[in-house]
Amino acid sequence: MSVKLHIRSALSSIRRAPFQALAAVSVLGVTFFVATVLAILVYSSNQVLNYFTTRPQVIAFLKDEASLEEIDVLRAKIQGDERVREVNFVSKEQALEIYKEATADNPLLAELVDPSIFPASLEFSVSDLEFADQVIEEVKQDEIVESVGFTASIGSEDSLGGVVERLKTVTKYIRLGGLVIMAVLGVTSFLVLMVVVGMRIASRRHEIEILGLIGATRAFISSPVLIESVVYGFLGAFFGWLAALILILYLTPSVLKYFGEIEVLPRDMGSLLGLLGVIMLGELVVAFFIAIIGGGLALSRTGSRRR
Amino acid sequence: MVEFKKVSKSFGGIVALQDVSFKVGEGEFVFLVGATGSGKTTILRLLIGEYRPTSGEITFDGQRVDELKSKELPALRRKIGVVFQDFKLLSERTVEENVEMALAVAGIEASEWDRRVAEVLEVVGLSERAELFPSQLSGGELQRVALARALVTNPKVIFADEPTGNLDWETAEKIIELLVKINKQGKTVIVSSHHKVLIDKLGMRMIKIKKK
């Protein structure tokens, strides 16, 4: 019905003042560019954190006399604990393989050892590092457990526990910083959109008055303005996202190479584009609401009253 | 159809209308006569709810206009076809689009627009001017576009505010003839004017507004 008319009005209004339109789209574009980059940063930092937190953190070395049944019972018991995730059994033979891999540059070392000297073990990680001490103490009590090691206490100072804690702090600051930046950019975009829409309304004041006098409802008068506002929102979101997409596609190979086995970004193009597609959909929804609320607020200030 | 009962309107200390009372029945043709500044346009603005009377009652089609809420005004205005003194045409739209806009506002299906616009432009004699913009038209043509826009939604009443005000004698006569023709088709027509010769010539009912 009159939807086509409203769309035509909105588009012709954009054509009439292209620089105002450009200003609105540019500011929104910058906002959504930063939003896309931040979203990817948050995703990547989560991936790094996830990589480290899902690595085995606790190793329970088992006594040589422990039978397979006893090991299964202990394994089931640990697996049933809510604080624990991903329990793996490492047999003596597997332990030797790990040793061989670790000493691959000096094969003689591996030739001198027999699997029997390596203890079998149960490796697992805890859902939160805060639980580690409690779980270690409980597992130590089991009869078939020789000793329990926490990877945070095995190795150098730059232990897994320390790395995870540091990553958590970094992730927290990325999220917090991202939220602050997005809030500032979001408010700026919102205000610019309101000013541009307000200018459009001012330039159409005569038309709005005439439409009101011939019986147009508030919704009829508002529609082209809101459509125009939504067009700015969508264009800004799309171009901001597109610029971020180009940057991310350009940087992805180097980033993946740098992080090695940590999959900070999806390795296959389909999944990467899927992730960016989801981000774009979210941004279009946000752009829609910014446009409708910004346009609506600008319109609410122009309401005519009966004299 | 239209009734003003002891209607007064003041703007601060300035009295624009005082105790105006009149009735216009369905299908009537009435001239609202008065000197410039006597309040003819104020009557139009009161009738379409743009102004609220300081006192008195205004009834249109059985509905108290002075008691309507702002959100009820669009429905009222769609029932009254108004030809404004200054035309109030959309300068960036063509003749056709100006007339179409009234149909869109009234919520009439877009599939109807072409036929109805063509018909009404034929009635006012502007079929050849459909693609032109208001700035490309003469005063008489602008008046006829405004009339076409008022007619196209088939309202119950047409209110023409000084439709002959800025026109030469011949064009003014043509516009009035057109309004009479529309009235003969059954529409109520109210014309505000100070064109005494023309009014006297037609011999229609007159409502005189005295300047305060």
Side-chain angles (χ1 to χ4, degrees):
Chain A
M1 226 175 62
S2 50
V3 177
K4 272 188 191 171
L5 187 82
H6 294 320
I7 293 173
R8 232 165 48 203
S9 297
L11 295 181
S12 88
S13 174
I14 293 170
R15 276 198 301 272
R16 261 183 258 147
F19 292 110
Q20 283 174 23
L22 198 64
V25 172
S26 304
V27 173
L28 283 158
V30 170
T31 301
F32 285 104
F33 170 78
V34 175
T36 310
V37 171
L38 280 174
I40 288 294
L41 265 180
V42 168
Y43 173 86
S44 298
S45 60
N46 274 345
Q47 287 292 99
V48 175
L49 188 62
N50 201 35
Y51 172 82
F52 284 104
T53 52
T54 54
R55 299 197 73 169
Q57 297 157 344
V58 183
I59 303 175
F61 297 106
L62 306 173
K63 288 177 181 166
D64 286 344
E65 61 269 26
S67 68
L68 281 175
E69 289 77 21
E70 286 172 322
I71 293 169
D72 280 344
V73 170
L74 177 60
R75 184 181 182 163
K77 185 182 154 195
I78 297 172
Q79 202 137 33
D81 194 322
E82 281 180 359
R83 298 165 297 178
V84 172
R85 57 183 186 192
E86 293 194 34
V87 183
N88 285 316
F89 172 64
V90 180
S91 66
K92 284 172 176 287
E93 289 74 19
Q94 285 168 322
L96 175 62
E97 287 306 311
I98 293 168
Y99 179 73
K100 278 182 181 173
E101 273 176 36
T103 57
D105 51 343
N106 195 351
L108 265 178
L109 285 175
E111 279 177 24
L112 296 171
V113 293
D114 184 86
S116 61
I117 69 157
F118 291 102
S121 60
L122 285 171
E123 295 182 352
F124 56 89
S125 53
V126 280
S127 56
D128 194 312
L129 286 173
E130 284 175 14
F131 303 137
D133 287 340
Q134 287 173 7
V135 177
I136 288 170
E137 281 310 309
E138 285 169 31
V139 174
K140 265 184 188 170
Q141 307 303 315
D142 200 282
E143 284 178 1
I144 62 163
V145 174
E146 181 73 52
S147 63
V148 181
F150 180 38
T151 49
S153 61
I154 303 170
S156 67
E157 274 177 22
D158 258 343
S159 58
L160 188 60
V163 171
V164 168
E165 281 311 309
R166 214 176 309 142
L167 279 173
K168 275 189 175 174
T169 311
V170 171
T171 309
K172 194 175 93 182
Y173 283 120
I174 288 177
R175 284 181 190 167
L176 198 70
L179 273 178
V180 171
I181 293 170
M182 281 320 299
V184 171
L185 284 172
V187 170
T188 310
S189 308
F190 190 76
L191 292 176
V192 168
L193 196 68
M194 261 184 73
V195 169
V196 170
V197 171
M199 284 161 84
R200 289 309 168 82
I201 293 167
S203 71
R204 292 183 64 221
R205 197 169 292 280
H206 183 62
E207 185 177 337
I208 289 171
E209 182 208 339
I210 293 171
L211 290 175
L213 288 173
I214 64 173
T217 58
R218 190 156 182 80
F220 187 97
I221 293 170
S222 308
S223 296
V225 178
L226 291 179
I227 289 171
E228 190 177 337
S229 185
V230 169
V231 168
Y232 294 148
F234 281 176
L235 285 178
F238 177 73
F239 285 120
W241 175 84
L242 191 67
L245 172 81
I246 292 166
L247 181 73
I248 289 161
L249 288 182
Y250 175 73
L251 291 177
T252 297
S254 318
V255 170
L256 285 176
K257 196 176 165 194
Y258 179 79
F259 281 93
E261 65 178 286
I262 308 173
E263 202 175 302
V264 287
L265 286 169
R267 284 184 198 280
D268 69 297
M269 188 54 80
S271 304
L272 181 61
L273 290 177
L275 173 69
L276 285 160
V278 169
I279 292 172
M280 187 181 76
L281 282 181
E283 287 180 348
L284 287 178
V285 172
V286 172
F288 179 79
F289 283 107
I290 287 181
I292 291 290
I293 298 169
L297 275 175
L299 274 165
S300 70
R301 299 176 62 225
T302 64
S304 59
R305 289 195 178 85
R306 271 178 103 177
R307 289 168 281 173
Chain B
M1 166 103 346
V2 177
E3 185 174 4
F4 275 56
K5 207 184 275 180
K6 288 189 162 293
V7 174
S8 299
K9 177 66 186 172
S10 305
F11 298 98
I14 301 163
V15 179
L17 279 181
Q18 196 167 22
D19 286 339
V20 171
S21 298
F22 66 86
K23 267 187 189 179
V24 177
E26 204 164 338
E28 262 195 279
F29 189 112
V30 178
F31 277 110
L32 214 54
V33 187
T36 302
S38 59
K40 300 187 292 295
T41 302
T42 304
I43 288 176
L44 162 69
R45 289 180 165 183
L46 285 164
L47 180 63
I48 62 171
E50 196 184 348
Y51 293 163
R52 198 185 282 280
T54 310
S55 63
E57 293 173 13
I58 302 167
T59 310
F60 171 73
D61 201 22
Q63 195 175 26
R64 281 285 294 277
V65 175
D66 53 292
E67 288 177 347
L68 289 180
K69 292 176 185 155
S70 292
K71 63 178 181 185
E72 294 169 318
L73 292 177
L76 166 82
R77 290 174 186 175
R78 290 197 291 270
K79 288 188 211 166
I80 305 170
V82 181
V83 182
F84 295 95
Q85 193 173 0
D86 56 353
F87 318 126
K88 294 211 184 292
L89 297 175
L90 303 171
S91 56
E92 281 159 352
R93 291 180 191 269
T94 62
V95 167
E96 191 176 19
E97 287 168 345
N98 264 281
V99 181
E100 261 179 14
M101 191 55 82
L103 292 169
V105 164
I108 289 160
E109 286 293 327
S111 55
E112 287 268 299
W113 293 0
D114 285 350
R115 181 184 61 80
R116 291 179 76 154
V117 170
E119 273 176 19
V120 81
L121 289 182
E122 181 72 38
V123 170
V124 299
L126 282 178
S127 300
E128 305 295 314
R129 300 277 192 272
E131 300 299 325
L132 298 184
F133 287 90
S135 58
Q136 298 168 304
L137 302 176
S138 68
E141 287 169 335
L142 289 172
Q143 194 66 262
R144 283 186 280 160
V145 179
L147 185 57
R149 184 182 62 189
L151 282 173
V152 76
T153 54
N154 201 21
K156 292 187 169 187
V157 60
I158 298 285
F159 194 125
D161 188 17
E162 296 280 8
T164 56
N166 302 313
L167 305 178
D168 58 77
W169 172 261
E170 196 183 340
T171 314
E173 203 168 35
K174 277 184 185 165
I175 292 288
I176 293 295
E177 275 172 17
L178 199 56
L179 287 166
V180 171
K181 193 173 140 191
I182 289 160
N183 171 249
K184 281 183 180 159
Q185 287 167 357
K187 290 221 182 301
T188 307
V189 177
I190 304 170
V191 180
S192 81
S193 179
H194 58 263
H195 214 306
K196 190 146 184 348
V197 184
L198 203 62
I199 296 164
D200 288 343
K201 187 183 166 196
L202 283 167
M204 299 283 196
R205 183 186 160 201
M206 270 193 291
I207 296 168
K208 287 184 184 168
I209 314 286
K210 284 181 192 159
K211 196 171 179 178
K212 275 275 124 194

